[in-house]
């Protein structure tokens, strides 16, 4: 069972339209298309004006997924965890990820904390 809240897509689009429509420079322009959102409650059609089309395109192009941590330099995979550890090839990325992995390896080997590369 998913613990993530799933927003109502039709409500999200209605809210977006309400936020951008006051700034439409050509409010009398006819729609250039429409978006049908099918949910358990039925179908909602949202008319897409030229201004809304530009706003949607800009918003979608600017979206970055919260789980997007870039691309693995070794294998090109996109599944980097919060420690920048590649789930596909195992490479660690970033200074913090390397330090955490190095410290974990020292603990695993039974070496004292603080020994190794970082000690002067
Ligand atoms: Zn990788």
């Amino acid at each position: 069972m998913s613990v993530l809240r799933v927003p109502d897509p039709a409500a999200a689009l209605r809210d977006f339209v309400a936020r951008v429509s006051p700034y439409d420079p050509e409010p009398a322009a006819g729609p250039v298309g429409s978006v049908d959102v099918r949910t358990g409650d039925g179908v909602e059609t949202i008319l897409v004006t030229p201004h809304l089309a530009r706003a949607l395109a800009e918003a979608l192009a600017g979206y970055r997924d919260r789980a997007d941590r870039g691309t693995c330099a070794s294998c090109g995979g996109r599944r980097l965890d919060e420690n920048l550890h590649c789930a596909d090839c195992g490479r660690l990325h970033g200074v913090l990820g390397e330090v955490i992995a190095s410290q974990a390896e020292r603990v695993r080997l039974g070496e004292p904390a603080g020994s190794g590369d970082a000690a002067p």
Side-chain angles (χ1 to χ4, degrees), residues 71-80 85-93:
T71 303
C72 176
S74 292
C75 72
R78 300 195 54 115
R79 299 188 315 138
L80 302 180
H85 179 249
C86 179
D88 296 319
C89 74
R91 179 175 171 167
L92 285 169
H93 296 76

